[in-house]
Amino acid sequence: MKLLTHTPTLLAGLFALVLLNIGAAQAADQQHNYSNSGYCQLAAKGTSQYQRNLLAAYAGKLGYAPSQRECRTLQQQRTVHAPVFELGSAIKQFEQGSVRKLPNATVEKLKELDRNRQQQWFNQVAG
């Protein structure tokens, strides 16, 4: 009997939670920067059905799908101006726009390694 008297309150609370989750998802989506270089990096990772769906969604957010020629040009520019590996920026890029987060203990152990070993680890894990 008491459940019936609290039903409107429960429904209102549930509705508020749903709206809050929708708002948080939209805010997280708007914080990610979409770029043609990001699209090209995703395109270079593979051609599975999942990858094609991901690229289609990314192109939708970007507003267009960069051509293969544009991706090749960006890749050539990147190899000519290959930046020196920096642990802090690599961790930031690894975690950006994702639920992945490196534990602090792992970050501390990575800091103890030399730059080449850090880069090898990132190539294996984030590759």
Side-chain angles (χ1 to χ4, degrees):
M1 194 65 136
K2 285 192 174 203
L3 181 63
L4 292 176
T5 59
H6 296 296
T7 302
T9 306
L10 290 173
L11 287 175
L14 182 61
F15 184 70
L17 272 174
V18 169
L19 286 178
L20 184 64
N21 284 338
I22 290 171
Q26 288 176 345
D29 188 38
Q30 291 172 355
Q31 289 178 349
H32 184 75
N33 294 329
Y34 295 92
S35 66
N36 55 356
S37 62
Y39 178 93
C40 294
Q41 287 175 351
L42 286 174
K45 289 190 178 188
T47 58
S48 67
Q49 183 61 42
Y50 171 77
Q51 203 66 24
R52 288 191 298 268
N53 291 343
L54 186 62
L55 284 173
Y58 199 99
K61 295 287 185 176
L62 185 58
Y64 78 106
S67 66
Q68 289 180 348
R69 185 178 191 177
E70 185 176 351
C71 288
R72 277 194 305 272
T73 303
L74 286 170
Q75 179 62 29
Q76 288 171 351
Q77 290 173 353
R78 224 177 298 133
T79 55
V80 169
H81 302 291
V84 176
F85 178 80
E86 291 293 333
L87 180 63
S89 62
I91 290 172
K92 184 178 178 181
Q93 184 178 11
F94 177 75
E95 295 175 345
Q96 182 180 9
S98 176
V99 295
R100 302 177 298 184
K101 176 143 177 47
L102 292 177
N104 290 335
T106 303
V107 173
E108 292 304 317
K109 287 181 181 179
L110 281 171
K111 287 180 181 178
E112 295 171 3
L113 299 175
D114 64 83
R115 193 173 297 224
N116 289 334
R117 295 284 295 157
Q118 291 172 354
Q119 189 170 10
Q120 287 174 356
W121 186 86
F122 265 95
N123 289 340
Q124 288 176 351
V125 173

